[in-house]
Amino acid sequence: MTSMTPEQKARQIIDRIFRKAGWGIVDRDNYSPELSAVAIEEGLMRDNLEADYLMFLNGKAVAVLEAKRAEVDVYDHSVIQQAENYTLRVVSWCQTFQNPLPLVYISNGNKIIFRDMRDSESEYIEIPKIHTPKEIKAILGIEDYYAGLPILDKEGLRDCQFEAITNLEQSFRAGYRKGLINIATGAGKTWTACLASYRMLNYTPMKKILFLVDRKNLGEQAESEFGNFKLTESGDAFNTIFAVERLKSNRFDTNASVFITTIQKLFSFLKGEASEEDDIDKENSDDDNPSSPIVLPPNPTIPKDFFDMIIIDECHRSIYGNWRPVLEYFENAKLIGLTATPSPETIEFFDYNIICNYTLDQSIKDKVNVPARIYRIKTKVTQGGGAINEGDPLRKVTRYTGNVEQIKSTDTELYSASDLNRNIVNPAQIKLILETYKNAVYSELFNDPPREPNLNFLPKTLIFAANEDHATNIVKIAKEVFERNDDVFVQKITCKSGDSKALIKSFNTSRDFRIAVTVTLVATGTDVKPIEVVMFMRDVESDQLYQQMKGRGVRTLSPDLLRNVTPNAHSKECYILVDAVGVTEHEHSLTSPTTETNNPSLTLSKLLERITHGEVSDENLSLLASKLTGIDRRTSESDKNQFTSLVHINIIDIATNIYNALSSGSLPQYLNVNEPNSERKALVRVLAINPEARKLLCIFNAGYQKILQPGEDELIEKGFSHEQSESNTKTFEEFINAHKDDIEALRIIYNNAGEPLTYQMLVELQHKLLQVTHTFSVSRLWHDYQILYPEKVKKFTSQEEKDAITNIIQIIRFAFHIIPELRSLPSLAAQRFELWCGQAQRPLTDKQKDIVKQIVGYIVTNGFSTLNDIRQYNTTIAAQLASQFGAEISNTLSSLSQFLIYNKKAA
């Protein structure tokens, strides 16, 4: 290796000093004006001179640094003259903050001296380090808002996080006010937001940042993330440098730097009506979405320029409709959106400025997340519904009142699959799905390698239910199926199940809490990494919600941490998506922008209350007519007759009268609730004066739930998808056949001539395959071939066997039809070793055989091995091999590697 010159040694030290101070180092060819703080090596000056380092902030030159070797005196007159000469020779096409350049640095690697040339009387002073971009911005009084930002150090960052922060800052410098960061679930969105917040607060004039969350528990998570974030100059936690205030009640510490809250809470502060009561986590809230655009108070209590930047977490939510005025009030604040599932509405709101687009598929390729394997359960009732026969015993629940009656069906009633678990509950259907899962979990889902079939350590399972009642039924039946009498093994985590934060924490850490049942509360933003099974017992139409729900299973977790909560687990290489309703088999809809102001989330009971008090606006009357029409369509004749006998008018006639009056334009204009509004009130008088009629309508609207006692169902199909496995293996085989000549490792495997296949070659091959698609992972392909050819594919017997890099050789051989069955090389090692010993060119001594036997496992796991490879694996064994085989060691290792991997003698 060529030794460095004194000049190179000094440059190496100076480079480190630059980087430590927040400056990037580039040559002229790799310079970009969008680099925030950078020193160009050999910066071109006039007269073909080159400055050792020409320093730029936001595309404009600010200083030069003259570098000398260690023994040169930095105060030497000729050195100083040379450095100062560069400040006068900036080329005309180079942007500068000031010309001549104002600042000069001279360093020999051991000492740095500095002078501000703007003061003709100034002298050089010794400084301990090069000034940071922020310090130079202050020295020169630069007004560029972002000039103080140091270059972003990539160390400790995922590629997507580095890209997101880099592009965000470039977007700000380019003048954009809004930007969308799309980062896959589990890839660190909140952590990225912490980094962006730290850099803006520490290096720019920003003082106040708002972090908007969707729910209270997500605010708690964000607060915790800011407390854990330590990628700061000092290494101290973010919240010890900048005060972080989660708005919990009516307290508002205006001295804080980061504020965390929901948009609802923020609006209450704007109105000056923030209460002491904390926000409540809700799964389906009527109050979260106002029926029309909110109206800001005339004198909001928070100034519109209070926040410099607003970060909107889970920004795929519909806060851009009726809540939009709250965001638009802070008209000068930068708006940053965070999501893993952007909708067209989201992208439009952020002016189509996508800062980063890191997809789930890419995160799986990068092993940031794990993929799903879909296990389908089909039952007769789930697929096609069923029938309630005359005389069948039922439990009838009146949803609005909660009243329960034991009845018998008076006639035969057919129900569809969509009625299931909404209007009709068939306990047999729920039980059959759970029993099928229980029987398959260790025999089919987690058997490669096998796990100890201990149901006390059932893989952490998250079940999505259709609604609160469905979730309650699932918990009850799961206790029966898994024979549990305790209240810990399976629990609900919904808005009505108590402290959701404590429940989620327990599900994350407890060995006893194995099944969580939710509706949507755990669907977004909740990080429970040990989840290995996500079960859909409800269908989902929205693609955003579907992706978020699936995302609960993708989080990676080290084997040790996984075994802390699931002791019989090996590792988390994927998660199982158990589809019991066909959610994976249809397209999902994308949310589109809406301009509607009528919001059906205003419940019937609240609408009737408003109308009873005289709020009979066109909007309320129209909404009531719409709801009455729907109720009439869904309500049985006997219930309709009960209503008519009470108020002497049909439900549909009330709706028709309202529609006719509104469409005729004959109604006097509605101004406010204090006006007489007599004609309008007459349309709804029968409801306003009759509480019992209003109650009946609410009962009919909520409907009834009929629970079969006990019901029946039968299994149609269960198992992993043959179609998906066929598609993936076909695509894989097409790829390797197309590239068997241009990818070296593929060529060697295809030719099967005994050429060495080293560990590095196999790693590179694996990387190339994963760059095509994450479904080309060895684990996934082995699984797919196992589904298609169960008699030819041998399951792994241990985690070590499953982890062998040489499995990729076997997969490709099987795909090329070179071998008739798919088995791992470690499973063949003992047999092939004995054959090799018997066919060795000279007999082996017992000592030689014992030593060689110790490296067989290493070779079949890692590929062809040399003595240097063995030394890195075990120096003692390497020394013993060299001692026993002498000059023959290389030939011995080559012969052994070839026999173990190819099952043939060396040529």
Side-chain angles (χ1 to χ4, degrees), residues 52-64:
D52 290 335
Y53 296 92
L54 184 57
M55 299 163 61
F56 286 78
L57 282 183
N58 281 5
K60 294 184 178 182
V62 292
V64 293

Side-chain angles (χ1 to χ4, degrees), residues 461-569:
T461 302
L462 178 64
I463 300 177
F464 285 110
N467 49 53
E468 183 78 27
D469 292 335
H470 188 209
T472 300
N473 288 324
I474 291 172
V475 170
K476 178 176 178 292
I477 295 170
K479 286 184 176 183
E480 298 173 12
V481 169
F482 287 92
E483 301 174 359
R484 306 295 301 211
N485 296 318
D486 61 272
D487 293 324
V488 178
F489 184 84
V490 54
Q491 301 178 64
K492 270 196 317 181
I493 305 181
T494 67
C495 59
K496 296 183 180 179
S497 55
D499 187 344
S500 60
K501 178 184 176 183
L503 286 167
I504 291 169
K505 181 178 180 181
S506 175
F507 190 46
N508 202 8
T509 59
S510 170
R511 288 190 174 192
D512 300 320
F513 187 178
R514 308 310 304 179
I515 301 175
V517 185
T518 191
V519 181
T520 59
L521 190 59
V522 191
T524 60
T526 304
D527 188 5
V528 183
K529 292 181 179 179
I531 291 175
E532 295 185 86
V533 178
V534 175
M535 181 184 295
F536 282 83
M537 292 182 70
R538 61 169 288 190
D539 203 356
V540 180
E541 293 299 325
S542 163
D543 186 63
Q544 285 75 38
L545 181 57
Y546 176 55
Q547 297 300 332
Q548 290 284 337
M549 293 163 83
K550 288 198 304 178
R552 298 317 98 202
V554 303
R555 309 299 179 98
T556 55
L557 188 64
S558 70
D560 288 343
L561 291 177
L562 176 60
R563 285 191 287 270
N564 281 344
V565 291
T566 307
N568 61 345

Side-chain angles (χ1 to χ4, degrees), residues 700-763:
F700 299 161
N701 185 58
Y704 308 96
Q705 190 175 69
K706 296 177 181 178
I707 304 174
L708 306 183
Q709 302 290 312
E712 59 183 37
D713 198 3
E714 63 182 77
L715 187 67
I716 297 175
E717 180 184 319
K718 68 180 179 71
F720 291 103
S721 169
H722 274 249
E723 292 79 9
Q724 286 185 343
S725 294
E726 284 178 357
S727 174
N728 194 43
T729 53
K730 180 183 178 183
T731 305
F732 172 69
E733 289 171 10
E734 288 172 351
F735 177 83
I736 61 174
N737 273 291
H739 295 278
K740 64 179 181 290
D741 295 323
D742 53 71
I743 297 178
E744 181 68 0
L746 276 182
R747 182 191 65 77
I748 292 173
I749 295 171
Y750 179 75
N751 289 339
N752 201 35
E755 295 177 71
L757 282 161
T758 64
Y759 179 83
Q760 190 57 42
M761 292 173 68
L762 298 176
V763 168

Side-chain angles (χ1 to χ4, degrees), residues 601-849:
S601 66
L602 182 64
T603 62
L604 178 65
S605 62
K606 290 184 178 181
L607 177 62
L608 289 170
E609 182 180 19
R610 294 183 182 189
I611 282 177
T612 300
H613 282 279
E615 192 183 66
V616 284
S617 63
D618 284 6
E619 182 182 26
N620 282 351
L621 289 175
S622 176
L623 185 57
L624 177 64
S626 174
K627 287 182 180 288
L628 291 177
T629 303
I631 291 170
D632 184 77
R633 187 172 58 251
R634 298 189 303 270
T635 302
S636 68
E637 287 302 318
S638 61
D639 282 346
K640 290 179 188 177
N641 292 336
Q642 181 186 357
F643 180 86
T644 303
S645 66
L646 180 65
V647 298
H648 309 297
I649 186 172
N650 296 331
I651 296 172
I652 194 63
D653 287 343
I654 299 174
T656 301
N657 291 341
I658 293 172
Y659 278 135
N660 289 341
L662 289 173
S663 61
S664 69
S666 61
L667 288 176
Q669 183 180 2
Y670 176 82
L671 299 176
N672 59 62
V673 72
N674 293 315
E675 298 295 321
N677 300 314
S678 302
E679 293 181 48
R680 291 171 174 271
K681 288 179 180 178
L683 294 169
V684 294
R685 182 174 181 275
V686 292
L687 301 180
I689 66 172
N690 198 322
E692 186 61 28
R694 298 198 300 271
K695 182 178 179 180
L696 277 181
L697 287 176
C698 289
I699 288 173
F700 299 161
N701 185 58
Y704 308 96
Q705 190 175 69
K706 296 177 181 178
I707 304 174
L708 306 183
Q709 302 290 312
E712 59 183 37
D713 198 3
E714 63 182 77
L715 187 67
I716 297 175
E717 180 184 319
K718 68 180 179 71
F720 291 103
S721 169
H722 274 249
E723 292 79 9
Q724 286 185 343
S725 294
E726 284 178 357
S727 174
N728 194 43
T729 53
K730 180 183 178 183
T731 305
F732 172 69
E733 289 171 10
E734 288 172 351
F735 177 83
I736 61 174
N737 273 291
H739 295 278
K740 64 179 181 290
D741 295 323
D742 53 71
I743 297 178
E744 181 68 0
L746 276 182
R747 182 191 65 77
I748 292 173
I749 295 171
Y750 179 75
N751 289 339
N752 201 35
E755 295 177 71
L757 282 161
T758 64
Y759 179 83
Q760 190 57 42
M761 292 173 68
L762 298 176
V763 168
E764 289 173 2
L765 174 58
Q766 193 172 63
H767 176 73
K768 286 179 180 177
L769 292 175
L770 288 175
Q771 288 306 109
V772 178
T773 170
H774 72 265
T775 61
F776 283 2
S777 71
V778 172
S779 177
R780 169 65 185 270
L781 288 165
W782 203 287
H783 174 79
D784 286 338
Y785 280 121
Q786 199 172 80
I787 290 170
L788 298 176
Y789 309 105
E791 72 288 350
K792 294 182 179 181
V793 181
K794 304 302 179 184
K795 295 176 182 177
F796 299 113
T797 59
S798 67
Q799 188 64 36
E800 291 73 21
E801 189 177 313
K802 187 174 185 177
D803 290 340
I805 189 72
T806 53
N807 290 333
I808 197 169
I809 302 174
Q810 297 297 83
I811 282 279
I812 293 170
R813 283 176 173 162
F814 188 74
F816 278 142
H817 307 293
I818 294 171
I819 53 177
E821 65 175 8
L822 184 52
R823 291 183 62 179
S824 71
L825 288 176
S827 71
L828 299 166
Q831 177 189 17
R832 290 190 177 179
F833 173 66
E834 291 301 327
L835 287 171
W836 179 78
C837 291
Q839 297 182 31
Q841 293 182 351
R842 63 183 178 86
L844 299 176
T845 66
D846 289 342
K847 179 70 173 175
Q848 288 175 324
K849 188 174 180 180

